[in-house]
Amino acid sequence: MRQVLLVRFGEVHLKGQNRPYFLHKLTDNVKKAVAPLNARVWLSDGRIYVSDFEDIQQAIDRVTRVFGLYSVSPAWELDKDYELIAHKCEEMTRGLKGTFKVMARRSDKHFPMNSQQLNAELGGVILDANPDLRVDVHKPDYYVSVEIRDHAYVYIDEIMAVGGMPMGTGGKAMLLLSGGIDSPVAGFQLMRRGVNINAVHFFSFPYTSERAKEKVLDLAKILGSYGGGMKVYIVPFTEIQMQIHEKCPDAMGTLLMRRYMMRIADEIARRDGAQALITGESLGQVASQTMEALACTDAVVNMPVFRPLIGLDKLEITQIATKIGTYETSILPYEDCCTVFTPRHPMTKPKIEALVEAEQALDTEALVRDAVENTEGILV
């Protein structure tokens, strides 16, 4: 008898002939997640199992952050002997109060009792041993689950995981990561669809501080804890912002800045092997996020731009940020480059032709080249 984690996966069940590929990738990702714990991981009969860990809570925390997993249950692995199973059910429910239901599943049809018989017999054992429990088959306080597979597995708790698709099955993209609430959530949403991501951050020293840079790296570490790490490209952006401020119309400043960000991110993404860009824009949230403004920023890149938050409001985005653990870091009071030289009256319905004309005052090719060549890559 030993304690294991019984791990369930979600959307992978829907895959057809490609299912073995997704399962192999998912199992590998679980192995990577628990590698620091020296735990053992294996796939068997529609479940992933984790064993031989010293700290079960740490193992649960790591496994529930693996994309593609639905839920995790700390279970006891037993020999397929009814008396052992009954004793463990009695032991696990000792001290509980309220209602319960036994949920037995028999994958091994050679086991002498079927699921209904196990439900009835084990329910009786638990009732006899614990007078503070009663049966409720509709809305019980506790589900006592028994699975008869290669071994018998008994558990009560089910802890939800992040869901989605296995990391690495959805391609690779580059996240434009600011220090705000939105962009980390956007990155998480694409990671949840199996996309490997790295990030690019635009740093305007001395107008933005080293603390602001550290804040972004901390956000990247939180995102990386779901996907096995991340590389952050820190782009020196001060010169470009100064040039725009000095040579271009004030009302166009934010949009021109965004167009240069997209050009630079596009080039870094291509060098990194990424196939798309990810941004945290929500339609209409600020002046640079109108439909017309987004069309103007997208016009300077050739690869797809994913905006997973485009239809969400700030409250919905904040709720996700809180859930994934980025919110408290995002609200730290260190400004990012988007707050530098903010126009008093920014354009909301720009014309691409006007922006292109304004950029004639700038040496776009040199500015982009210098920014990319002086970019610093940091693994977190």
Side-chain angles (χ1 to χ4, degrees):
M1 181 174 63
R2 61 176 176 174
Q3 197 165 29
V4 302
L5 298 184
L6 187 152
V7 183
R8 304 169 192 84
F9 35 86
E11 286 185 64
V12 173
H13 279 298
L14 303 177
K15 300 300 176 183
Q17 294 182 350
N18 290 328
R19 185 178 175 185
Y21 162 74
F22 284 91
L23 287 177
H24 177 75
K25 191 70 175 177
L26 184 55
T27 305
D28 280 349
N29 290 348
V30 175
K31 289 178 180 178
K32 291 175 184 176
V34 298
L37 308 181
N38 296 315
R40 180 180 171 230
V41 178
W42 71 99
L43 173 68
S44 176
D45 195 22
R47 293 282 190 267
I48 294 173
Y49 299 89
V50 183
S51 68
D52 302 334
F53 38 78
E54 294 182 2
D55 186 330
I56 187 169
Q57 190 55 54
Q58 192 175 5
I60 291 171
D61 290 344
R62 287 178 172 273
V63 172
T64 52
R65 287 174 174 260
V66 175
F67 292 105
L69 299 182
Y70 177 74
S71 66
V72 178
S73 290
W76 286 98
E77 181 188 82
L78 315 169
D79 290 336
K80 289 182 285 188
D81 178 275
Y82 173 76
E83 295 301 328
L84 289 175
I85 296 168
H87 177 74
K88 180 53 68 175
C89 288
E90 177 185 336
E91 181 183 272
M92 291 179 68
T93 55
R94 192 174 298 149
L96 298 181
K97 297 181 180 181
T99 60
F100 78 100
K101 177 183 179 179
V102 177
M103 294 281 289
R105 301 178 183 86
R106 186 187 65 155
S107 295
D108 180 3
K109 303 306 180 185
H110 294 97
F111 191 78
M113 301 172 69
N114 63 31
S115 299
Q116 290 76 18
Q117 290 171 325
L118 281 168
N119 289 337
E121 293 296 326
L122 294 173
V125 168
I126 293 169
L127 285 173
D128 290 343
N130 192 338
D132 292 323
L133 284 175
R134 66 183 189 278
V135 173
D136 183 345
V137 297
H138 300 294
K139 293 184 178 180
D141 298 319
Y142 306 99
Y143 287 95
V144 181
S145 297
V146 178
E147 297 191 12
I148 308 297
R149 297 178 177 273
D150 55 335
H151 289 78
Y153 298 91
V154 182
Y155 58 91
I156 295 177
D157 297 324
E158 182 175 359
I159 302 145
M160 303 309 295
V162 289
M165 295 297 294
M167 182 70 74
T169 61
K172 186 176 184 180
M174 183 66 65
L175 170 68
L176 279 72
L177 181 63
S178 72
I181 296 171
D182 300 343
S183 57
V185 176
F188 177 87
Q189 295 294 77
L190 263 295
M191 292 170 71
R192 196 168 181 269
R193 301 311 305 159
V195 178
N196 276 322
I197 72 169
N198 285 326
V200 57
H201 174 69
F202 297 91
F203 185 52
S204 295
F205 185 83
Y207 298 101
T208 53
S209 67
E210 286 291 333
R211 295 294 297 273
K213 177 180 172 181
E214 290 302 318
K215 171 184 172 180
V216 168
L217 294 176
D218 288 341
L219 288 170
K221 287 177 185 176
I222 296 170
L223 289 178
S225 70
Y226 290 93
M230 181 182 298
K231 188 171 186 178
V232 183
Y233 294 93
I234 306 295
V235 179
F237 203 57
T238 309
E239 180 62 24
I240 292 175
Q241 288 190 285
M242 292 291 292
Q243 293 262 351
I244 292 172
H245 180 67
E246 293 171 3
K247 299 179 180 181
C248 301
D250 182 67
M252 297 182 181
T254 299
L255 283 170
L256 292 172
M257 177 189 72
R258 292 292 298 174
R259 281 164 65 88
Y260 276 90
M261 285 181 172
M262 298 295 276
R263 290 182 176 106
I264 293 165
D266 182 282
E267 180 59 29
I268 294 173
R270 292 183 186 282
R271 295 186 182 195
D272 192 59
Q275 301 158 286
L277 301 178
I278 308 168
T279 71
E281 287 130 334
S282 170
L283 189 63
Q285 188 178 109
V286 295
S288 64
Q289 296 178 16
T290 63
M291 196 171 293
E292 294 86 349
L294 295 176
C296 288
T297 57
D298 283 2
V300 299
V301 299
N302 294 314
M303 64 174 56
V305 181
F306 294 140
R307 294 184 170 94
L309 312 185
I310 197 69
L312 303 185
D313 62 31
K314 199 67 175 184
L315 177 59
E316 292 170 316
I317 297 168
T318 299
Q319 288 172 339
I320 299 172
T322 302
K323 181 178 179 180
I324 67 176
T326 57
Y327 177 74
E328 293 298 329
T329 301
S330 290
I331 62 173
L332 292 174
Y334 307 122
E335 295 181 330
D336 60 35
C337 72
C338 294
T339 61
V340 179
F341 307 125
T342 302
R344 182 173 297 181
H345 301 292
M347 283 184 169
T348 58
K349 294 185 177 182
K351 301 293 185 183
I352 291 180
E353 296 79 9
L355 294 170
V356 172
E357 183 178 350
E359 288 173 346
Q360 299 306 308
L362 307 171
D363 188 344
T364 295
E365 184 178 344
L367 288 171
V368 171
R369 182 186 63 245
D370 290 347
V372 171
E373 290 179 354
N374 288 287
T375 291
E376 175 189 13
I378 301 174
L379 287 171
V380 297

